[in-house]
Amino acid sequence: MNYREYLDISPEVQAALDAKQPIVALESTIISHGMPYPQNLEFAKQVEDVVRNEGAVPATMAIIGGRLKVGVGPKELEALSDHTKVEKVSRRDIAAILASGKTGATTVATTMIISALAGIRVFATGGIGGVHRGAPETFDISADLQELAHTDVAVVCAGAKSLLDIGLTLEYLETMGVPVVGMRTDEFPAFYCKESGFGVDVRYDSEADLAKMLKIKWDLGIHGGAIVGNPVPDAYALDSGEMNKVIDDALKEAAEKGIKGKETTPFLLAKIVELTEGVSLKTNIQLAFNNAKVAAKLAVELNKLED
Ligand code: PSU
Ligand code: MN
């Protein structure tokens, strides 16, 4: 059986593919397990409009009833917004979820895989998974990083949260040959905060220049993705001293409760929302909109180069 037999492409996305229009992939774990209801549902709808307003077509990826969905409708978004009914699906889980006919939200890794199957090269999210603090003991390294090493999709994100070990995450990406780009910044952003204390490999001040680099990489058959670190807009950036305190408290509670494996990231995100009384959620939503905007511009520029 051909892999296409497992894919359901929405009419909007199929029309865009046929007309060779720019498309931006969006993930669903950020909806199901990254934000609370009902803000997650509102976000999921609005982020698609951000992409459309920049002249690209959004393709929210998910697994519904054992089918890979490239682009989902309002009813499916509604289903994805209830985390109790939705599995978190990373690379290792995909085949089992399809075989069982279940519904799942796609992580960065899984969204990249589906994007590549559908021929989509640009993807916007909030933050990526990475090397967790304490990874030298726990071995907790997100499958997102391996995926970036192999799958040809550029991931526009606001960097990595400092609940991860940002330094080790960047070392891992270097080992795996993944370019780390700064979008209008020399510093790799730290999700809620603009500064991480770590630099990027290369800075671009326009999406057109970034598109040129990506085209060369992929033309040469240098497989794998790229991280595009796009800092949170000033108006929503949080203070890194304060956020680090919050994150330390969240990490302590996770350790006390024995939270492990795939539960770790959702637990920490929810805890941070609670500890900041929702301020972190507002920032999370706005930085993700900002990433969708840059991703759409990048998709438009890449599209021009392919003509
Ligand atoms: N970071 C966020 N929000 C998210 C995630 C990361 O700010 O929702 C999700 C993404 O889907 C990412 C996943 O791929 O968490 C990483 O999970 P893990 O650390 O278990 O690999
Ligand atoms: Mn993990």
Side-chain angles (χ1 to χ4, degrees), residues 248-260 264 267-268:
D248 283 341
D249 288 348
L251 285 167
K252 221 168 91 197
E253 191 165 335
E256 281 163 13
K257 292 202 160 132
I259 307 287
K260 279 201 295 257
T264 303
F267 176 87
L268 292 171

Side-chain angles (χ1 to χ4, degrees), residues 132 140-142 261-262 264-265:
H132 281 260
D140 190 350
I141 300 174
S142 174
K262 68 195 276 190
T264 303
T265 299

Side-chain angles (χ1 to χ4, degrees), residues 35-46:
M35 293 179 189
Y37 181 85
Q39 290 94 334
N40 59 350
L41 181 57
E42 196 52 25
F43 163 79
K45 292 176 188 159
Q46 287 178 350

Side-chain angles (χ1 to χ4, degrees), residues 15-36:
L17 285 167
D18 293 343
K20 297 196 188 319
Q21 284 168 346
I23 303 173
V24 173
L26 300 165
E27 63 151 308
S28 43
T29 294
I30 190 175
I31 303 169
S32 305
H33 304 287
M35 293 179 189

Side-chain angles (χ1 to χ4, degrees), residues 27 30 34-35 125-129 157-164 166 188-196 229-233 236-238 243 247 269 272-273 280-281 283-288 291:
E27 63 151 308
I30 190 175
M35 293 179 189
T125 183
I128 50 160
C157 64
K161 278 168 296 300
S162 60
L163 59 89
L164 301 171
I166 298 178
F188 188 63
F191 198 74
Y192 305 113
C193 315
K194 295 185 76 166
E195 56 288 311
S196 68
N230 183 39
V232 56
Y236 298 97
L238 301 180
M243 275 322 283
I247 286 168
L269 290 172
I272 293 167
V273 172
S280 71
L281 178 59
T283 294
N284 193 349
I285 289 169
Q286 292 298 326
L287 66 81
N291 295 339

Side-chain angles (χ1 to χ4, degrees), residues 63-83:
I63 299 175
I64 310 275
R67 302 281 306 164
L68 296 175
K69 299 286 177 186
V70 179
V72 295
K75 256 182 65 191
E76 290 157 326
L77 286 180
E78 188 93 42
L80 289 165
S81 70
D82 179 358
H83 72 96

